[in-house]
Amino acid sequence: NAGVTQTPKFRILKIGQSMTLQCAQDMNHNYMYWYRQDPGMGLKLIYYSVGAGITDKGEVPNGYNVSRSTTEDFPLRLELAAPSQTSVYFCASSYSGQGGSQPQHFGDGTRLSIL
Amino acid sequence: DQQVKQNSPSLSVQEGRISILNCDYTNSMFDYFLWYKKYPAEGPTFLISISSIKDKNEDGRFTVFLNKSAKHLSLHIVPSQPGDSAVYFCAASRNTNAGKSTFGDGTTLTVKP
């Protein structure tokens, strides 16, 4: 059981380039999330999805886009990369039952540097 | 406005002793509080949670205490082991909020042999 899989693990981008961070889960979870973690800080929510075809903005959505065409996949798109987007990105998923009590399952992250 | 705060960036304890990690929150509408543990180069993993209607939840060496009047919770690890050395995140969520959690900045625990 793979859980939440993120690819790539590391990436270096030049300013202005674009890329897609991939996230897939095999737990049939309806809820999925994208976070970024800056050094010494907690996790900031970028976007989230409550099911296929439904996405919404989190706390720090500027400069990012998402899509959710299937239950399993939740890619995060960076357009026109900027140095401020240098961070570690985590994808997570959770079961939708019983609301806030459900723990989130995280991937191992993508470490992204914008130079 | 940071709704979940972990005021101690780091904590160092001796193996076998108790580790106490603290977390404060400002939003009285939170329904659940969760603790996650994170090792370097890995994603956070769920450790233990507590409902806002309870004041204590225990799972093996880990116990979480909730003081609603003070808007404060703490994670106790007894006895502490070197393998417990990690970053611990406190998170809070609401039932009506699509499972979204608000995270603190984390506390790095070091357990010395």
Side-chain angles (χ1 to χ4, degrees):
Chain A
N1 196 348
V4 178
T5 303
Q6 290 185 239
T7 56
K9 292 190 184 302
F10 305 95
R11 185 73 184 268
I12 298 175
L13 283 183
K14 294 183 179 178
I15 295 171
Q17 286 186 321
S18 299
M19 78 163 292
T20 299
L21 282 66
Q22 301 292 344
C23 175
Q25 54 94 6
D26 61 2
M27 296 172 283
N28 202 32
H29 286 163
N30 281 333
Y31 292 171
M32 294 189 75
Y33 315 88
W34 273 106
Y35 295 92
R36 59 177 287 172
Q37 185 190 15
D38 298 327
M41 305 294 286
L43 301 169
K44 303 294 184 187
L45 183 65
I46 305 172
Y47 270 95
Y48 68 100
S49 169
V50 298
I54 307 169
T55 63
D56 208 345
K57 296 178 180 178
E59 185 181 357
V60 290
N62 291 344
Y64 307 94
N65 277 301
V66 293
S67 60
R68 184 99 181 267
S69 57
T70 66
T71 298
E72 294 77 21
D73 300 300
F74 191 38
L76 177 72
R77 178 81 175 164
L78 275 73
E79 305 281 1
L80 299 175
S84 61
Q85 292 177 305
T86 294
S87 190
V88 181
Y89 291 84
F90 289 101
C91 178
S93 71
S94 71
Y95 175 56
S96 56
Q98 297 181 351
S101 70
Q102 296 303 310
Q104 295 182 13
H105 300 256
F106 287 83
D108 284 338
T110 294
R111 186 176 297 274
L112 182 62
S113 294
I114 315 295
L115 303 176
Chain B
D1 175 30
Q2 195 167 9
Q3 295 189 64
V4 177
K5 292 184 181 180
Q6 295 177 255
N7 291 317
S8 298
S10 63
L11 175 67
S12 181
V13 300
Q14 207 66 35
E15 181 179 6
R17 305 296 289 270
I18 185 172
S19 295
I20 300 176
L21 294 90
N22 295 304
C23 179
D24 297 297
Y25 62 96
T26 58
N27 188 346
S28 59
M29 301 300 289
F30 287 131
D31 296 300
Y32 288 94
F33 302 91
L34 306 95
W35 285 92
Y36 290 84
K37 176 179 179 179
K38 183 185 181 304
Y39 292 119
E42 295 183 8
T45 56
F46 171 70
L47 189 58
I48 191 170
S49 64
I50 188 168
S51 165
S52 63
I53 63 173
K54 296 189 175 182
D55 55 18
K56 179 183 176 181
N57 188 29
E58 189 172 357
D59 183 3
R61 295 186 298 113
F62 303 91
T63 303
V64 57
F65 295 93
L66 175 62
N67 182 335
K68 285 190 68 177
S69 61
K71 293 191 177 66
H72 176 83
L73 62 153
S74 60
L75 174 67
H76 292 212
I77 306 173
V78 184
S80 301
Q81 301 174 353
D84 295 329
S85 297
V87 178
Y88 289 79
F89 290 102
C90 171
S93 64
R94 295 183 60 185
N95 277 334
T96 57
N97 220 10
K100 291 187 293 181
S101 288
T102 302
F103 286 80
D105 288 342
T107 297
T108 300
L109 173 65
T110 302
V111 180
K112 298 179 179 180

